[in-house]
Amino acid sequence: AIEDGEKAYNSFAISLNRGVTFVEALKTEVQVVYPKRDVTVEKTGEDDPKLGLEGVSFDLYMEGREEPVKTGLVTDRNGHLTLPSLLIGKTYRLRELTAPEGYALPKEDVIFTVEESSEAQELHIVNYRPRREISVTKAWEGNTGDSAEILLLADGTEIDRAVLAKENNWSHTFIGLREKAPETGAEISYTIKEAGTDETGRLRIGGSLYQSSVEGDMEQGFTVRNKWIPDQTVLTPAKRNFPVHKEWQ
């Protein structure tokens, strides 16, 4: 296939004159130019969709090619970027190379096809804050309960909860958790607590008494362990009445 900007040549021409066919050798040079248009990019952060992110760099690839067709593309102070003279109907991949401070680098390229339209074609790309996952499992010592409700706390405040049961293999993963607070940039401390526990960590599940304890951390994951406490029957001594006689002198 002839690429855009390449030269094509007519090598010969055939003509007919009074029943006689003539073949004329030619070498007419023609430059092939395909229709193109610009595509604009708007880069913002998840916290404020109106605030553009400056200094985000990209490479642009045409689908099916390993080498970029454009490099050194950087958003301006308003988070805008123009991808000039892209071939209409072709599919491209826009790969982000550097993310703004405090944001995560996307794992996938942005894939788009250049449209044949009189309207402007824009790509709105959002950068997200780094996220983490936190797993929690349930362990039992002694009698096993039917289920257990687990609370997820961020800096001591409950933000989510999950029910662990046999059906989900007594495990759950909390996903999409911010690593840092957007207001301060400080790392968020995540902890786990079992719902229904008293100040000593005890709770009743299905009529049975358990001592709940939490092991692990937000990096390795948490295990909530419930130790069954057998019911303790308090024995009351039998009572008898004895007559008492008081004598005075």
Side-chain angles (χ1 to χ4, degrees):
I2 300 176
E3 299 291 340
D4 181 70
E6 291 184 346
K7 296 179 181 180
Y9 301 91
N10 291 329
S11 59
F12 62 90
I14 299 176
S15 61
L16 184 65
N17 187 8
R18 296 181 181 183
V20 179
T21 301
F22 295 90
V23 178
E24 182 180 2
L26 299 173
K27 193 175 182 181
T28 304
E29 182 180 288
V30 178
Q31 187 174 23
V32 177
V33 179
Y34 294 111
K36 307 178 187 70
R37 65 171 303 181
D38 294 348
V39 175
T40 59
V41 175
E42 182 183 16
K43 189 68 169 174
T44 61
E46 66 169 313
D47 301 323
D48 186 353
K50 297 181 180 180
L51 180 62
L53 299 179
E54 180 182 3
V56 184
S57 62
F58 297 89
D59 279 351
L60 181 67
Y61 295 78
M62 185 180 290
E63 192 68 16
R65 297 187 180 181
E66 296 183 358
E67 296 297 323
V69 294
K70 296 182 185 296
T71 61
L73 303 168
V74 182
T75 56
D76 61 19
R77 59 183 300 180
N78 297 314
H80 295 159
L81 170 66
T82 298
L83 307 176
S85 302
L86 302 187
L87 296 172
I88 293 176
K90 292 293 185 179
T91 300
Y92 292 85
R93 291 181 291 113
L94 189 61
R95 179 171 301 170
E96 187 169 335
L97 304 178
T98 58
E101 184 178 357
Y103 290 90
L105 187 67
K107 297 180 180 180
E108 298 181 354
D109 298 341
V110 176
I111 300 176
F112 66 97
T113 300
V114 181
E115 302 170 355
E116 184 177 6
S117 173
S118 59
E119 298 181 358
Q121 184 173 352
E122 299 180 352
L123 303 176
H124 185 200
I125 307 174
V126 180
N127 270 92
Y128 292 91
R129 300 290 186 180
R131 294 294 202 270
R132 70 163 68 244
E133 297 181 355
I134 294 179
S135 61
V136 56
T137 58
K138 187 68 176 176
W140 299 89
E141 294 184 14
N143 290 353
T144 301
D146 296 329
S147 63
E149 189 172 24
I150 305 301
L151 311 181
L152 175 66
L153 294 84
D155 292 331
T157 300
E158 180 190 344
I159 61 169
D160 203 354
R161 57 177 58 198
V163 176
L164 307 186
K166 184 178 180 180
E167 290 72 20
N168 56 18
N169 200 29
W170 299 104
S171 63
H172 178 77
T173 300
F174 297 98
I175 62 175
L177 305 175
R178 284 179 177 265
E179 290 187 357
K180 297 182 179 180
E183 302 82 3
T184 63
E187 185 176 14
I188 299 174
S189 176
Y190 290 97
T191 53
I192 291 292
K193 179 182 179 182
E194 186 165 4
T197 55
D198 61 18
E199 62 275 7
T200 67
R202 292 190 173 191
L203 77 160
R204 284 195 174 273
I205 301 177
S208 296
L209 183 63
Y210 294 90
Q211 178 68 51
S212 177
S213 61
V214 178
E215 306 166 1
D217 54 39
M218 62 183 185
E219 301 295 339
Q220 303 298 325
F222 294 94
T223 297
V224 180
R225 189 175 304 278
N226 277 22
K227 184 177 181 180
W228 176 60
I229 302 175
D231 289 333
Q232 297 178 355
T233 303
V234 179
L235 299 178
T236 303
K239 297 182 179 179
R240 294 181 58 186
N241 295 326
F242 295 93
V244 177
H245 179 69
K246 180 68 175 178
E247 293 183 358
W248 298 90
Q249 296 182 355

